[in-house]
Amino acid sequence: MFKRYFEKIWVQNLALLALTGLVVYYFAFVFEFKYDFDWAVFAVEGQYGHMGHLMVNGINTTLTITLYSAAIALAMGTIFGLARLSSFKPVYWFATSYVELFRNTPLLIQLFFWNFALPYAFPEEIRFKLFDMNFEFWCATVGCGIFTGAFMAEIIRAGIQSIPKGLLEASYSSGLTFPQTLRKVILPLAFREIIPPLGSEFLNNMKNTSLAMTIGVSELCWSMTEVYSLTYRTFEAFSVATLVYLGLSLSIAGILYIVNERLKIMPRDRITPLRRVADVLFWPFDFLGRKLEYIFWYFRKSPDQRTVSPLKQALNRLGRNLIKALKIFFVAALAYVLYMVVMALIHFNWEIIGANFKTLLIWRFPEGDETEFCFGLGGLASSLLMAAISIAGSFIIGLAVGMGRTAKNRVFRIPCILYIELIRGVPLILVILWFYQAILEFVFKVDVQAFWAATIAMTFFFGAYIAETVRGGIENIPPGQVEAAKASGLTYFQTMRKIILPQALKQMLPALVGMFIAAFKDTSLAYIIGVMELTRAAYAINNRIMIYPFEIYTTVAVLYFVFSYFMSLYAKRLERKLSPETIRIEM
Amino acid sequence: MRVLKIAVMAALLVMAASVAFAGPTYDRVMSTKVLKAGLSNQGIPFGFINDKNEWVGFDVDMATEIAKRLGCKLEKVVVNNNTRISFVQTNPPKVDMVLSNMTHKRVRDEKIDFSITYFFDGQKFLAKKGTVKDAKDLANMKVGSMQGTTSIVNATAYLKELGNPNPQVTGYDGEVAMFEALRSGRVQAITTDSTILLGYAAKVPGQFELVGDFISDEPYGVGLPQDDSAWRDTINFTIQDIWMDGTYLKIYDKWFGPNSQYPFPLTSKIEMWP
């Protein structure tokens, strides 16, 4: 009886309204905040300057870093994505090591490495020249760009590889040349595959720029911390930063949505209004494309030109030799780099690494104070522990929210969507700060150690991401199965438990392993609230020794890399087991 | 129906949690016999991790002594420049007191309470030996300081006063990053409280020197929860007791005495009530 009522839209809307009312009533009248809001801090000039201006400057820097690093990432991604498809092995190896190295270490460690260790690799004059050029800003920008580039390279490679080999064969056998095939078959198809995941990388890149604050770039997160440590207005500062990040995320997502709409293949008579808007917006690009097509057509080779003149032959030979020379040069350069790396490794102060290795693994466990987390457990061990706990917890959240997200009933669906989009729109660093300094204290009135605060924050953060994976898994199950289950009299939960989830979970397995790697790398952000995980331990050791940043940060990067890389190999093997057909296109 | 039930349950749970409201700090500390102190772990010589991975420093010793005299167990909580105030500001406070080389300022006193001054310091500049002959040289230098401190605000104002209308002051994330910026040469001078600068300068003996005059007074106080006079009195009396029987000097000499790594003569006496 209730169930039948609950299927009516107006009942659902009413229930949603009532829930919202309840929440508003609770926080407005029942809940004691013991905190008086003062939004005027952003509008008036205080003793320490104008906080509003500070925030605006921060937003400005964040946008600048985001744009520059996105351009760098796209360039790196394209170059290395294509290089990953090269049949010339050294190029392939080089690109592969770039992608694996940067994808499997945390961005924070990379930034620290660029910022603290790299300058010492240069002679003093060059170093001072570098420092004259706004070093921290470019360090963060290029660092973010290179990091995101590694992810983009993989997307671009996968997109190009996803083109069925049959299509290429068909295009060659119908007489198209390679450039034509590239233009007419490969690129249009690849773009349709690539653009949606590429877009989400742009979004991630924007959120990642928040880490620039750790090396002293005054971007949005930096301004936010500055505001709350000078005015002690935690809630106000956090809220403004969160809203700005959400706004940025939503606008990027909006642009992506329109681009996706433009790329969709839809029959002429069923064009949606949004598609019309997208068409108008993309008109200049279309126009440019059509004109280019005309130019290409104009410069095409006529069949009689295809006989090769002696001059042309010589030119061709020259070109081939040039390519050969370039290849040799590339191999030589690679060998030189390898030699430099080996020399650098030999000259490492291994004693320092050896002396601090145990500390990096377990910090001061078991000699720590009994008031510390787990008797001083820290370093790599606590990073792994944190990742394991938060992934286990977020799996439960993700399962519930992901199911809610796919539910037909609005009362379940809309709160789930809100949760997912809200969490996915802000950087993890901000989520951790929210939990540690605002939510747990003021809303839930619990007082936990920094380790647990970070773990809880990460649980909620990854919950939203896993929910999206779960949704993908559920939506991949053919609807016929659900209908069959319904027809045979199973309830919703029975269908989920017995039919959909077992299949969906199997599909999701590689993605979940990937999520665990991401969580493991992101434990480095707990650094910001002083949890003694691997990054913080390295920072503390560097603080003490001071003169060997290269050794310490390299060791930490290797530690992160080893764990992430072997997990990702495992994820890949799982994936291959679940979908055996893979073809490699070579260019 | 079930949704409603869950919602009501959740609401009740949150309400129950908010009812568990702690009493004043004094009563709580005295009944639980646990004293939570916020301490920095990256500020040499006030609170840092030494070669043996122990958390030591002047502030740590002071906190330990206070806890000992109150007969409590000390629980150390990491704070940094951004969190040291908000941790005593919350209700109930996350920590019962904060010793984190924190200057007692009127603006800060509006949010939290402070004990009497337990350490006297001032802000100075640290630069490579020989680069700064006169304070005026600082005006056009790139200067580093710490984010979340008033040092950065003071420094900007000071450089403006020296005649640079657009001073370049970068706020780094903590003492380590700030000193690293000076050491690698990305800034020509760093500025914060002089004892902290001494602590880092001692890392590479003979290369750096303190320059110029003190540009501000930095009397350090213990940060305490607002409006809890029983607790504030207890801390004040304890600090005075520590001073009176000579323990203060012992701790001071351990960190700043003539034979220590960072010699810094004691400039003033703490406030004493008969």
Side-chain angles (χ1 to χ4, degrees), chain A residues 251-284:
Chain A
S251 9
I252 295 180
I255 295 171
L256 293 176
Y257 191 66
I258 291 179
V259 173
N260 279 344
E261 192 72 11
R262 176 72 185 76
L263 289 174
K264 260 185 215 157
I265 301 170
M266 42 176 89
R268 255 175 221 288
D269 54 330
R270 252 182 270 158
I271 284 181
T272 56
L274 190 70
R275 173 59 178 263
R276 265 185 257 278
V277 176
D279 278 342
V280 172
L281 287 176
F282 279 86
W283 183 81

Side-chain angles (χ1 to χ4, degrees), chain A residues 446-475:
Chain A
V446 287
D447 178 27
V448 290
Q449 274 171 326
F451 176 89
W452 292 111
T455 311
I456 293 171
M458 282 182 55
T459 308
F460 278 93
F461 184 78
F462 282 103
Y465 284 79
I466 290 185
E468 280 298 276
T469 320
V470 171
R471 174 175 82 118
I474 292 176
E475 282 175 353

